[in-house]
């Protein structure tokens, strides 16, 4: 844009004065941060004013949904995502799903407005009190620029911090009066590395120990798929001829769950993991924690005679391991090098693959059981479909009937918090659209989880995203009832969910919606949803499923 001044019949073009706002937006363009996920507030409007035509604003109706959408958008596009939420209370609303982004190593740049600098000393209404403290410990870096002139450089540093390993969310608090301050540009653009090469000598010693093992096991965590290591994981497992287990409470699947070497997921307690690994003399955990435990069921951390090696890009994850020797490094890079170093394991006995009994009732149930639901979906799921799962009590049945078979095609929350899955499916679909990819997105959501972020389906409807939500309506927090039984705590209140009309809610937000109670109706609705050009919510009446704890 230029302004025109007429002086003695001459037209002179004068470039407008650069401001913090214009210089920052030019930097965001250079960094390809042109999609903004947000829910605007008064202190954010100076940042969003005259929103450029070459930027996209994705509006979600609650800040936790904003974070979850940006989370999977960044995971699928494999670059940082930009988030803008309201100061103070708005940032507070976002924290539940910020925990998931932190544990999932998702590079997010989260911004919120701060009140006018002139007012901050007096603790104004909706000011960011202790601005840099509030989002901790769930961000890698938290900053409020000391001067308006520092805003573009703060974004550049935030980008670098978010992307460098271990990747993760960062936070900027920006006073609303900073944006109009004059500032000469352009802001410097820097590139940063997003991988760390493992120590060569230590990796070689790990390779020697793997080669010497008589019955090794490999556990591939979510870092493997995030690093692009899916094919390297397959090649390593096949060369070593090792049993492969899914890491506990996976948020990304990193190995095909229908592979002959896949032996199923580990449990989620100390005892369950140890029992599962019995008989292995060496366990190699690549790209994951050792281990993600949840319920306390005491036992040995490792079976007697079993050693453990861990490769991770995250020093905190390495330091927190209760057993084993660790190596820091990018998982894909480490596996590529291990393939050259480990001895061929073809002489080892072939591990027994995961058993899939796939037992169904002799006659259809009323309500349906989760295995019946998954059996129907397994017949119709397209091979390239993406699954976003937040039906926590039925994840074991999902692996049995709907195994993940391709990289980047399974997503779940990394934190265990409820309310991530519904908006996360929106982020996946938006990311696919932005990169020109067309594949079905299927959200498997529990009815309790769906209520935490039901407003996210409005964003899906506004963008006409062809997401199929399958909501299993068992009218309770089934996972919590399973924990109540495990923890011997009878009489816990608030675990039942009667009286929720999910179909009407979905219609109200602009989605196609239908309730089904037979496999025939489910299959018909799912088939129709796959070709719809708008989100569909299929509510399936199901029996509660006791979780595998």
């Amino acid at each position: 844009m230029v302004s025109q001044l007429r002086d003695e019949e001459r037209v002179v073009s004068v470039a407008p004065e650069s401001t913090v706002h214009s210089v920052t937006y030019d930097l965001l363009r250079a960094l390809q941060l042109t999609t903004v996920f947000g829910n605007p507030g008064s202190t954010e409007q100076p940042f969003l004013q005259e929103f450029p035509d070459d930027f996209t604003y994705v509006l979600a109706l609650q800040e936790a949904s904003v974070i979850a959408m940006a989370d999977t958008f960044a995971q699928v596009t494999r670059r940082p995502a930009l988030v803008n939420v309201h100061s103070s209370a708005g940032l507070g609303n976002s924290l539940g799903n910020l925990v998931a982004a932190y544990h999932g190593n998702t590079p997010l740049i989260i911004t919120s407005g701060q009140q006018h600098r002139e007012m901050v000393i007096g603790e104004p209404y909706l000011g960011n009190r202790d601005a840099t403290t509030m989002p901790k410990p769930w961000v890698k870096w938290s900053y409020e620029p000391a001067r308006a002139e520092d805003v573009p450089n703060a974004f550049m540093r935030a980008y670098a911090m978010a992307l460098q390993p271990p990747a993760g969310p960062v936070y900027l608090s920006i006073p609303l009066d900073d944006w109009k301050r004059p500032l000469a540009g352009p802001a410097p653009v820097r590139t940063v590395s997003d991988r760390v090469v493992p120590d060569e000598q230590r990796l070689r010693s790990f390779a020697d120990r793997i080669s010497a093992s008589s019955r090794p096991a490999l556990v591939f965590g979510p870092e493997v798929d995030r690093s692009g290591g899916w094919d390297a994981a397959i090649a390593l497992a096949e060369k070593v001829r090792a049993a492969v287990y899914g890491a506990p409470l996976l948020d990304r699947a990193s190995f095909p769950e229908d592979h002959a070497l896949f032996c199923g997921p580990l449990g989620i307690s100390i005892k369950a993991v140890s029992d599962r690994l019995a008989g292995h003399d060496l366990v190699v955990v690549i790209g994951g924690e050792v281990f993600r435990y949840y319920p306390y069921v005491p036992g040995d951390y490792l079976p007697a005679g079993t050693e453990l090696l861990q490769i991770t890009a995250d020093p905190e994850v390495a330091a927190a391991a209760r057993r084993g020797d660790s190596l820091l490094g990018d998982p894909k890079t480490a596996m590529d090098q291990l393939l050259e170093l480990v001895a061929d394991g073809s002489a080892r006995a072939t591990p027994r693959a995961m058993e899939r009994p796939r037992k169904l009732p002799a006659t259809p149930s009323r309500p349906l059981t989760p295995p019946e639901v998954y059996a129907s979906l397994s017949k119709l799921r397209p091979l390239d479909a993406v699954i976003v799962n937040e039906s926590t009590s039925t994840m074991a049945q999902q692996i049995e009937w709907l195994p993940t078979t391709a990289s980047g095609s399974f997503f779940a929350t990394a934190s265990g918090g409820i309310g991530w899955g519904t908006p996360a499916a929106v982020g996946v679909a938006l990311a696919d659209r932005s990169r020109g990819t067309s594949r079905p997105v299927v959200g498997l959501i529990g009815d309790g989880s769906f209520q935490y972020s039901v407003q996210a389906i409005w964003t899906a409807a506004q963008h006409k995203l062809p997401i199929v939500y399958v909501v299993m309506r068992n009218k309770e927090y089934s996972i919590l009832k399973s924990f109540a039984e495990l923890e011997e705590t009878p009489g816990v209140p608030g675990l039942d969910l009667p009286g929720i009309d999910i179909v009407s809610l979905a219609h109200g937000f602009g989605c196609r919606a239908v309730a089904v109670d037979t496999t025939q109706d489910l299959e018909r609705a799912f088939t129709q949803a796959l070709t719809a050009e708008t989100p569909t919510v299929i509510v399936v009446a199901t029996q509660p499923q006791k979780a595998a704890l």
Side-chain angles (χ1 to χ4, degrees):
M1 296 287 292
V2 295
S3 59
Q4 292 184 327
L5 300 177
R6 186 168 298 277
D7 180 17
E8 297 179 352
E9 306 301 320
R10 291 181 303 155
V11 178
V12 181
S13 296
V14 179
E17 185 179 52
S18 294
T19 62
V20 170
H21 184 275
S22 63
V23 172
T24 300
Y25 269 84
D26 286 343
L27 174 65
L28 296 177
R29 287 186 183 91
L31 298 176
Q32 297 184 339
L33 295 171
T34 56
T35 299
V36 181
F37 293 85
N39 184 275
S42 55
T43 55
E44 289 69 47
Q45 291 184 14
F47 166 60
L48 299 171
Q49 66 177 331
E50 298 179 359
F51 196 68
D53 292 339
D54 58 330
F55 278 64
T56 300
Y57 188 85
V58 178
L59 172 63
L61 302 183
Q62 205 267 359
E63 290 89 348
S65 290
V66 170
I67 296 289
M69 291 177 192
D71 185 342
T72 47
F73 185 87
Q75 291 191 56
V76 173
T77 60
R78 301 180 64 82
R79 62 175 187 268
L82 181 59
V83 175
N84 184 239
V85 297
H86 193 23
S87 57
S88 188
L91 177 63
N93 285 342
S94 76
L95 289 180
N97 281 333
L98 182 57
V99 177
Y102 179 84
H103 282 297
N105 296 129
T106 305
L108 300 181
I109 301 171
I110 301 162
T111 65
S112 73
Q114 171 63 295
Q115 277 282 14
H116 196 288
R117 287 181 182 271
E118 182 68 23
M119 297 173 63
V120 170
I121 188 65
E123 300 292 354
Y125 190 67
L126 282 173
N128 287 329
R129 179 175 293 191
D130 295 332
T132 61
T133 302
M134 185 173 181
K136 292 178 180 178
W138 308 117
V139 292
K140 290 179 61 181
W141 184 58
S142 184
Y143 186 67
E144 184 174 275
R147 308 178 305 158
E149 294 84 353
D150 295 331
V151 170
N153 283 330
F155 270 91
M156 186 65 248
R157 180 173 174 184
Y159 179 88
M161 290 289 292
L163 196 58
Q164 288 176 315
V170 297
Y171 171 70
L172 295 176
S173 168
I174 304 171
L176 62 86
D177 52 314
D178 284 5
W179 295 104
K180 294 183 179 181
R181 290 286 295 271
L183 181 65
V189 179
R190 299 183 292 114
T191 61
V192 295
S193 172
D194 62 356
R195 295 182 188 270
V196 174
V197 176
D199 175 79
E200 182 179 349
Q201 182 175 351
R202 190 165 179 82
L203 185 67
R204 189 175 296 276
S205 72
F206 275 31
D208 291 343
R209 292 171 68 177
I210 294 170
S211 298
S213 169
S214 61
R215 190 165 179 251
L218 293 171
V219 180
F220 294 118
E223 290 178 43
V224 170
D225 199 45
R226 288 200 294 265
S227 68
W230 179 279
D231 291 337
I234 296 172
L236 181 62
E238 291 177 347
K239 182 172 183 179
V240 175
R241 192 176 283 187
V244 177
Y245 297 93
L249 299 166
L250 269 179
D251 51 286
R252 292 279 292 266
S254 293
F255 190 84
E257 293 169 344
D258 61 348
H259 194 283
L261 294 174
F262 184 69
C263 299
L266 294 176
I268 59 176
S269 70
I270 298 167
K271 184 178 188 304
V273 171
S274 182
D275 289 351
R276 199 82 169 87
L277 295 175
H280 294 289
D281 61 335
L282 180 68
V283 177
V284 185
V285 180
I286 302 178
E289 300 169 41
V290 180
F291 288 98
R292 257 183 199 169
Y293 301 120
Y294 187 28
Y296 177 65
V297 181
D300 297 325
Y301 281 97
L302 286 175
T306 302
E307 296 182 345
L308 186 141
L309 305 175
Q310 179 192 30
I311 300 173
T312 174
D314 192 334
E316 289 189 3
V317 166
R322 303 296 294 269
R323 295 292 187 274
D325 303 322
S326 65
L327 169 65
L328 290 176
D330 174 70
K332 180 182 184 303
T333 304
M335 289 188 294
D336 286 341
Q337 295 179 3
L338 278 175
L339 278 167
E340 302 298 322
L341 297 173
V342 295
D344 180 83
S346 57
R348 294 189 178 104
T350 302
R352 178 182 296 179
M354 174 185 173
E355 295 182 1
R356 301 179 189 273
R358 293 190 169 180
K359 294 180 180 179
L360 296 174
T363 59
S365 305
R366 285 289 187 95
L368 296 173
T369 63
E372 287 175 293
V373 173
Y374 287 144
S376 292
L377 298 181
S378 70
K379 294 186 293 184
L380 303 171
R381 176 185 62 163
L383 292 177
D384 61 343
V386 184
I387 287 179
V388 179
N389 188 310
E390 199 174 292
S391 175
T392 50
S393 63
T394 70
M395 293 188 78
Q397 289 72 37
Q398 185 240 300
I399 293 175
E400 180 180 357
W401 289 95
L402 297 170
T404 301
T405 59
S407 175
S409 61
F410 174 83
F411 298 89
T413 177
S415 71
I418 297 177
W420 182 90
T422 304
V426 175
V428 172
L430 286 170
D432 279 350
R433 178 175 289 177
S434 76
R435 63 195 186 115
T437 298
S438 177
R439 54 181 182 162
V441 178
V442 180
L444 304 175
I445 314 293
D447 54 350
S449 293
F450 197 67
Q451 304 313 310
Y452 272 71
S453 52
V454 64
Q455 75 288 129
I457 64 176
W458 177 86
T459 305
Q462 291 297 305
H463 290 267
K464 294 181 170 56
L465 300 174
I467 302 169
V468 185
Y469 290 106
V470 179
V471 181
M472 282 181 271
R473 180 78 172 111
N474 58 24
K475 301 183 181 181
E476 67 179 32
Y477 290 123
S478 188
I479 185 70
L480 295 181
K481 288 192 174 183
S482 296
F483 272 103
E485 183 176 334
L486 174 70
E487 296 164 355
E488 299 179 350
T489 54
V492 175
L495 301 186
D496 294 309
L497 299 171
I500 301 174
D501 186 349
I502 296 175
V503 169
S504 294
L505 286 170
H507 282 149
F509 283 112
C511 296
R512 297 176 68 251
V514 61
V516 301
D517 56 9
T518 68
T519 55
Q520 292 87 350
D521 289 344
L522 171 60
E523 291 170 15
R524 185 182 306 111
F526 189 78
T527 300
Q528 293 171 351
L530 289 174
T531 59
E533 296 181 353
T534 188
T536 301
V537 177
I538 303 173
V539 183
V540 190
T542 57
Q543 298 179 25
Q545 174 70 50
K546 183 177 179 180
L549 302 177

